[in-house]
Amino acid sequence: MSRTADAAASQCAEQLLRDLGISSLPVDPVAIAARHGIVVQPKANAEPGISGLLVKVGDTFGIMYATHLGNEGYERFSVGHELGHFFLPGHIDAVIGPDGLHASRAGFASVDRFEAEADHFSAGLLMPRRLFVNAIASAGEGLDAVETLATTCKTSLTATAIRLAQCTPDPLAVIMSTGPQIDYCFISDTLRELSGIDWIRKGQIVPRASATFAFNQNSADVKAGKRTSGTSDLQDWFGGSRSIEVTEDIMGLGSLGKTLTILYGFEVPDEDEEAEEESTVASWKPHFRR
Ligand SMILES: [Zn+2]
């Protein structure tokens, strides 16, 4: 996955909104499809894991979206994902098979380049940066912010949390886990810039000392969609050289057995102060000639 290509996909969606004169939330992806002559229909019996289909018959396109999760935000995201294949350069030729069909797995879990780009297109379409950043300013913090923004944008908690990590001016991490395993992680630019932070790799283990680890011990709580809060040390999650206490908001995502964790409220030591302290300490240290 390339961060540049992903950002370009979001920007392509934002340009489309400007071209269509859409400047308020929530964005209606079905209306956008209709304006381009694309018919959108629900599909009740989609294969497990399939979020939607892009169908091409002659020169006409149609979109079907899976309804089995009963989650309006996810359905809108799925329609946005198919629109991504329609609007992103090179996608139609790459993804539609000889049968005129493309079956999608939307939701940021696929490692396929085209699927990832279509996800980022959908996120940019439903949560365009400029409007979303304005909404972030009054949305609160942590999971509360994610829920408020999801209501404003009519998007799923997962997609909203990931977009929050991409657009927030604050240090923040969004981590998806299943039991002891981390599925994936998105971190904000300001957190990325903090020195000494390692990446969480796919398949890494949820740190034992975290509140998420304790929460995931009880799969019934995950399935019931319960939520809780705690604190943990950023170092336990990302490694790095510094211990930084963070607030940890946690929510079970229901039948999928996945858990959403938001790390925020970082107590970041001021780098200048730290550097000053270090230089003071250094000047007090005896110097030996070699
Ligand atoms: Zn797709």
Side-chain angles (χ1 to χ4, degrees):
M1 252 188 271
S2 144
R3 276 181 62 209
T4 320
D6 292 346
S10 299
Q11 284 157 15
C12 176
E14 287 159 356
Q15 183 59 49
L16 175 67
L17 294 175
R18 281 194 292 275
D19 292 346
L20 295 172
I22 295 170
S23 58
S24 62
L25 300 171
V27 172
D28 182 355
V30 176
I32 293 174
R35 284 171 73 170
H36 290 83
I38 303 166
V39 178
V40 179
Q41 280 179 356
K43 183 168 170 56
N45 55 348
E47 244 178 80
I50 299 299
S51 59
L53 300 167
L54 182 63
V55 186
K56 183 174 185 284
V57 182
D59 288 330
T60 309
F61 287 86
I63 288 174
M64 293 205 264
Y65 60 91
T67 56
H68 59 278
L69 293 181
N71 177 331
E72 191 198 1
Y74 182 70
E75 291 168 9
R76 286 162 43 83
F77 190 86
S78 300
V79 174
H81 175 106
E82 302 310 332
L83 286 174
H85 291 315
F86 181 80
F87 284 107
L88 286 167
H91 271 237
I92 289 176
D93 290 341
V95 302
I96 294 204
D99 54 358
L101 284 179
H102 164 70
S104 285
R105 295 171 183 274
F108 294 105
S110 173
V111 291
D112 178 84
R113 179 200 134 188
F114 293 100
E115 291 300 86
E117 286 180 16
D119 282 340
H120 285 279
F121 178 96
S122 188
L125 189 77
L126 301 175
M127 296 167 279
R129 184 174 284 270
R130 193 175 57 80
L131 299 178
F132 196 68
V133 164
N134 285 343
I136 287 173
S138 56
E141 284 196 305
L143 259 184
D144 288 343
V146 173
E147 286 185 317
T148 303
L149 292 164
T151 304
T152 304
C153 301
K154 288 197 182 178
T155 40
S156 71
L157 292 176
T158 306
T160 310
I162 292 169
R163 193 63 174 152
L164 177 62
Q166 290 171 335
C167 295
T168 179
D170 300 323
L172 180 137
V174 169
I175 296 148
M176 189 66 73
S177 60
T178 310
Q181 198 96 8
I182 293 171
D183 298 329
Y184 57 80
C185 166
F186 283 82
I187 67 178
S188 69
D189 284 345
T190 25
L191 179 52
R192 188 174 289 115
E193 282 157 17
L194 278 179
S195 54
I197 282 191
D198 298 325
W199 284 94
I200 291 184
R201 287 172 298 277
K202 206 176 158 95
Q204 200 167 314
I205 299 299
V206 175
R208 279 187 167 269
S210 66
T212 301
F213 185 88
F215 181 81
N216 284 0
Q217 295 300 300
N218 188 344
S219 62
D221 283 354
V222 176
K223 293 214 161 96
K226 288 205 176 154
R227 58 184 282 181
T228 184
S229 244
T231 56
S232 54
D233 191 326
L234 191 65
Q235 214 172 19
D236 291 338
W237 288 96
F238 293 92
S241 55
R242 289 190 295 177
S243 168
I244 299 174
E245 191 178 279
V246 297
T247 307
E248 192 181 344
D249 281 359
I250 302 149
M251 185 176 194
L253 292 180
S255 57
L256 296 174
K258 294 191 180 297
T259 299
L260 175 66
T261 300
I262 316 285
L263 303 181
Y264 65 102
F266 292 65
E267 300 288 338
V268 183
D270 189 313
E271 299 221 339
D272 291 342
E273 262 175 41
E274 222 179 45
E276 227 168 69
E277 257 170 46
E278 262 169 34
S279 69
T280 314
V281 171
S283 68
W284 280 92
K285 274 184 196 159
H287 295 274
F288 296 102
R289 278 190 196 164
R290 286 171 195 261

